[in-house]
PDB file of all heavy atoms in Angstrom:
ATOM      1  N   SER Y  28     122.194  48.237 126.851  1.00 94.00           N
ATOM      2  CA  SER Y  28     121.589  47.015 127.422  1.00 94.00           C
ATOM      3  C   SER Y  28     121.475  47.057 128.935  1.00 94.00           C
ATOM      4  O   SER Y  28     120.659  46.349 129.500  1.00 94.00           O
ATOM      5  CB  SER Y  28     122.396  45.799 126.993  1.00 94.00           C
ATOM      6  OG  SER Y  28     123.675  45.865 127.571  1.00 94.00           O
ATOM      7  N   HIS Y 128     124.832  41.353 122.326  1.00 97.00           N
ATOM      8  CA  HIS Y 128     125.775  41.982 123.240  1.00 97.00           C
ATOM      9  C   HIS Y 128     126.915  41.020 123.632  1.00 97.00           C
ATOM     10  O   HIS Y 128     128.075  41.448 123.765  1.00 97.00           O
ATOM     11  CB  HIS Y 128     124.980  42.416 124.467  1.00 97.00           C
ATOM     12  CG  HIS Y 128     125.769  43.084 125.540  1.00 97.00           C
ATOM     13  ND1 HIS Y 128     125.963  44.454 125.598  1.00 97.00           N
ATOM     14  CD2 HIS Y 128     126.437  42.575 126.613  1.00 97.00           C
ATOM     15  CE1 HIS Y 128     126.693  44.741 126.663  1.00 97.00           C
ATOM     16  NE2 HIS Y 128     127.004  43.626 127.293  1.00 97.00           N
ATOM     17  N   MET Y 129     126.607  39.721 123.819  1.00 96.00           N
ATOM     18  CA  MET Y 129     127.632  38.762 124.239  1.00 96.00           C
ATOM     19  C   MET Y 129     128.648  38.501 123.122  1.00 96.00           C
ATOM     20  O   MET Y 129     129.830  38.306 123.381  1.00 96.00           O
ATOM     21  CB  MET Y 129     126.992  37.466 124.717  1.00 96.00           C
ATOM     22  CG  MET Y 129     126.085  37.638 125.901  1.00 96.00           C
ATOM     23  SD  MET Y 129     126.875  38.511 127.266  1.00 96.00           S
ATOM     24  CE  MET Y 129     128.127  37.345 127.724  1.00 96.00           C
ATOM     25  N   HIS Y 132     131.024  41.531 123.082  1.00 96.00           N
ATOM     26  CA  HIS Y 132     132.139  41.508 124.052  1.00 96.00           C
ATOM     27  C   HIS Y 132     133.317  40.743 123.467  1.00 96.00           C
ATOM     28  O   HIS Y 132     134.466  41.092 123.670  1.00 96.00           O
ATOM     29  CB  HIS Y 132     131.692  40.827 125.362  1.00 96.00           C
ATOM     30  CG  HIS Y 132     131.150  41.794 126.384  1.00 96.00           C
ATOM     31  ND1 HIS Y 132     131.914  42.821 126.912  1.00 96.00           N
ATOM     32  CD2 HIS Y 132     129.939  41.901 126.980  1.00 96.00           C
ATOM     33  CE1 HIS Y 132     131.201  43.502 127.787  1.00 96.00           C
ATOM     34  NE2 HIS Y 132     129.990  42.978 127.851  1.00 96.00           N
ATOM     35  N   SER Y 156     131.911  39.866 133.796  1.00 93.00           N
ATOM     36  CA  SER Y 156     131.490  41.234 134.150  1.00 93.00           C
ATOM     37  C   SER Y 156     130.440  41.161 135.240  1.00 93.00           C
ATOM     38  O   SER Y 156     130.197  40.124 135.841  1.00 93.00           O
ATOM     39  CB  SER Y 156     130.967  41.958 132.926  1.00 93.00           C
ATOM     40  OG  SER Y 156     129.679  41.480 132.627  1.00 93.00           O
ATOM     41  N   HIS Y 159     127.736  39.061 133.319  1.00 92.00           N
ATOM     42  CA  HIS Y 159     128.021  37.825 132.575  1.00 92.00           C
ATOM     43  C   HIS Y 159     129.240  37.066 133.117  1.00 92.00           C
ATOM     44  O   HIS Y 159     130.189  37.668 133.575  1.00 92.00           O
ATOM     45  CB  HIS Y 159     128.305  38.119 131.111  1.00 92.00           C
ATOM     46  CG  HIS Y 159     127.788  39.387 130.578  1.00 92.00           C
ATOM     47  ND1 HIS Y 159     126.469  39.554 130.339  1.00 92.00           N
ATOM     48  CD2 HIS Y 159     128.399  40.572 130.272  1.00 92.00           C
ATOM     49  CE1 HIS Y 159     126.267  40.800 129.881  1.00 92.00           C
ATOM     50  NE2 HIS Y 159     127.418  41.413 129.843  1.00 92.00           N
ATOM     51  N   ASP Y 323     131.055  47.701 129.221  1.00 92.00           N
ATOM     52  CA  ASP Y 323     130.014  47.911 128.201  1.00 92.00           C
ATOM     53  C   ASP Y 323     130.286  49.180 127.429  1.00 92.00           C
ATOM     54  O   ASP Y 323     130.485  50.262 128.021  1.00 92.00           O
ATOM     55  CB  ASP Y 323     128.630  47.959 128.873  1.00 92.00           C
ATOM     56  CG  ASP Y 323     128.171  46.595 129.294  1.00 92.00           C
ATOM     57  OD1 ASP Y 323     128.841  45.595 128.904  1.00 92.00           O
ATOM     58  OD2 ASP Y 323     127.144  46.504 129.980  1.00 92.00           O
ATOM     59  N   MET Y 327     132.301  48.123 120.667  1.00 98.00           N
ATOM     60  CA  MET Y 327     132.207  46.681 120.414  1.00 98.00           C
ATOM     61  C   MET Y 327     130.939  46.363 119.596  1.00 98.00           C
ATOM     62  O   MET Y 327     130.900  45.392 118.832  1.00 98.00           O
ATOM     63  CB  MET Y 327     132.253  45.873 121.720  1.00 98.00           C
ATOM     64  CG  MET Y 327     131.058  46.047 122.622  1.00 98.00           C
ATOM     65  SD  MET Y 327     131.274  45.137 124.169  1.00 98.00           S
ATOM     66  CE  MET Y 327     129.585  45.129 124.795  1.00 98.00           C
TER      67      MET Y 327
HETATM   68 ZN1  LIG H  18     128.251  43.486 129.011  1.00 63.37          ZN
END
Side-chain angles (χ1 to χ4, degrees):
S28 66
H128 180 91
M129 298 309 294
H132 268 299
S156 76
H159 338 286
D323 286 351
M327 69 183 195

